[in-house]
């Protein structure tokens, strides 16, 4: 008997199409959502932290 090396795609022709669709869908960019913490909020929090650090440094010395 002759052995046939048959790949999975030859056994199931739809498998390659499914793999291709999964690959294409993975590359699609989802719509960007607003970040939970935007840049302005980070700037305000950073300024408050720096202000507290400066006041603490003045009180210590």
């Amino acid at each position: 008997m002759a052995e046939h090396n048959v790949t999975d795609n030859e056994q199931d022709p739809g498998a390659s199409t499914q793999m291709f669709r999964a690959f294409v869908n993975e590359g699609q960019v989802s719509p960007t959502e607003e970040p939970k913490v935007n840049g302005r909020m980070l700037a305000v929090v950073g300024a408050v932290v720096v202000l507290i650090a400066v006041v603490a440094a003045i009180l210590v010395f």
Side-chain angles (χ1 to χ4, degrees):
M1 284 180 80
E3 290 186 25
H4 295 283
N5 291 333
V6 179
T7 62
D8 290 338
N9 288 345
E10 291 173 349
Q11 291 176 359
D12 183 9
S16 62
T17 304
Q18 291 171 358
M19 290 291 288
F20 178 73
R21 286 184 183 156
F23 176 75
V24 170
N25 290 338
E26 184 177 312
Q28 290 179 346
V29 178
S30 61
T32 57
E33 298 177 6
E34 288 257 344
K36 292 182 181 177
V37 179
N38 59 13
R40 181 173 290 178
M41 187 65 180
L42 283 176
V44 169
V45 170
V48 169
V49 169
V50 169
L51 181 64
I52 291 172
V54 169
V55 169
I58 291 173
L59 292 177
V60 168
F61 292 112

